[in-house]
Amino acid sequence: MGEQWTSDGVCDGGDLDCGSGLLLIIKKAMEPIPSGGVLEVHSREPSVVVDLPAWCRMVGHDFLGVQTRTADRAFFIRKKAEIAELQSELEAARGYKWSVRIRGKEGLLAQAYARNHSFLVGQPTDFGATVDAPSGVDFLLAALGSDLVVGLKATASRSQVLLDEIECTLRASLGNVLYAIGLEEQGSPAIEEITGVLYVASSAEEQEVRNLFVQTVARSPMYQTLQRTCRLNVRLEITF
């Protein structure tokens, strides 16, 4: 049996890593803990084993150690005498702006650069089953679907609900695709409707999973943005 610590507070980071919100959760949980008190942080994300001690060294907290459990790990942090003001960090997160750069490539292609990743983007309207690169509409649907899949995983993780498998299928239709490609002179190229299904396999209670889905949709940037501009209907399908 390893060393035991008595905690003054507990927070659950689920599957979040230190770069995707876990540190903000820890800082908020630290606020009510007195200087010298101990915060117990639960996490299932493997990278936290390395990243959390490094962060503690950087900001001045004492990393006491970790206890491995069946489903997750418990990390113990002793709060330093003076902690940086959380509010400034929350304001910085609130004001964060996403930025991408796009350059034209040969033919009807563009290269998009997003942080440390880049990807090709093809023609806005291409009906082929195979294409040189996904279109902007493809990426928009992928962004929405990823928002829901990853968002549901994160929400379930924080609630300690086990989801076995998650998959999302989405379809979009334009107002008049012939106007979009220049074959007609009237109509709208805008996306009119997006429909889809989010499939979830879980042994958890059905209502519990549905509540998590409601929370995920409410906090999804893509879903909440797109529902203002088009008909949007993504239903949840649960299998056991």
Side-chain angles (χ1 to χ4, degrees):
M1 178 78 64
E3 186 171 355
Q4 302 293 310
W5 298 277
T6 300
S7 58
D8 300 286
V10 180
C11 70
D12 192 344
D15 294 314
L16 294 176
D17 60 32
C18 289
S20 61
L22 175 61
L23 295 183
L24 283 178
I25 292 174
I26 291 174
K27 290 171 184 176
K28 190 171 183 64
M30 276 281 192
E31 274 202 316
I33 292 177
S35 296
V38 175
L39 176 67
E40 180 179 340
V41 180
H42 291 209
S43 175
R44 290 189 293 274
E45 166 55 41
S47 65
V48 175
V49 174
V50 175
D51 294 342
L52 188 55
W55 175 76
C56 288
R57 290 192 297 270
M58 183 176 66
V59 300
H61 296 310
D62 291 329
F63 181 78
L64 301 179
V66 57
Q67 293 176 358
T68 302
R69 301 176 178 177
T70 54
D72 61 6
R73 295 180 178 89
F75 300 87
F76 293 84
I77 305 170
R78 189 181 304 283
K79 184 177 178 179
K80 66 180 181 179
E82 295 181 2
I83 186 169
E85 183 60 43
L86 173 64
Q87 193 59 37
S88 62
E89 302 229 10
L90 294 177
E91 289 302 320
R94 186 175 286 116
Y96 183 83
K97 296 185 185 299
W98 277 256
S99 175
V100 298
R101 180 170 58 92
I102 299 95
R103 291 190 62 186
K105 299 284 287 184
E106 65 281 352
L108 298 177
L109 294 172
Q111 188 82 26
Y113 300 87
R115 288 181 270 190
N116 59 319
H117 294 275
S118 69
F119 46 89
L120 280 174
V121 184
Q123 300 179 55
T125 51
D126 191 330
F127 313 123
T130 59
V131 292
D132 292 331
S135 71
V137 175
D138 293 322
F139 278 109
L140 185 145
L141 291 177
L144 172 60
S146 300
D147 236 21
L148 296 176
V149 169
V150 179
L152 183 59
K153 288 178 65 177
T155 303
S157 172
R158 288 193 295 270
S159 301
Q160 299 187 359
V161 175
L162 180 62
L163 304 180
D164 299 318
E165 292 184 38
I166 309 177
E167 183 173 318
C168 187
T169 60
L170 296 170
R171 294 179 180 274
S173 56
L174 306 187
N176 185 355
V177 69
L178 297 182
Y179 176 77
I181 61 178
L183 294 180
E184 290 187 357
E185 297 304 317
Q186 292 184 333
S188 169
I191 293 175
E192 281 197 342
E193 183 177 42
I194 297 176
T195 59
V197 183
L198 185 64
Y199 298 95
V200 177
S202 176
S203 57
E205 293 291 333
E206 178 178 352
Q207 191 55 53
E208 190 172 27
V209 178
R210 293 198 178 278
N211 290 341
L212 294 175
F213 177 66
V214 170
Q215 295 176 45
T216 300
V217 167
R219 295 179 184 273
S220 165
M222 294 301 300
Y223 193 100
Q224 293 302 319
T225 299
L226 290 171
Q227 74 168 355
R228 300 181 183 185
T229 62
C230 67
R231 298 191 300 276
L232 181 53
N233 180 22
V234 181
R235 63 182 175 87
L236 178 67
E237 187 74 32
I238 303 174
T239 59
F240 299 93

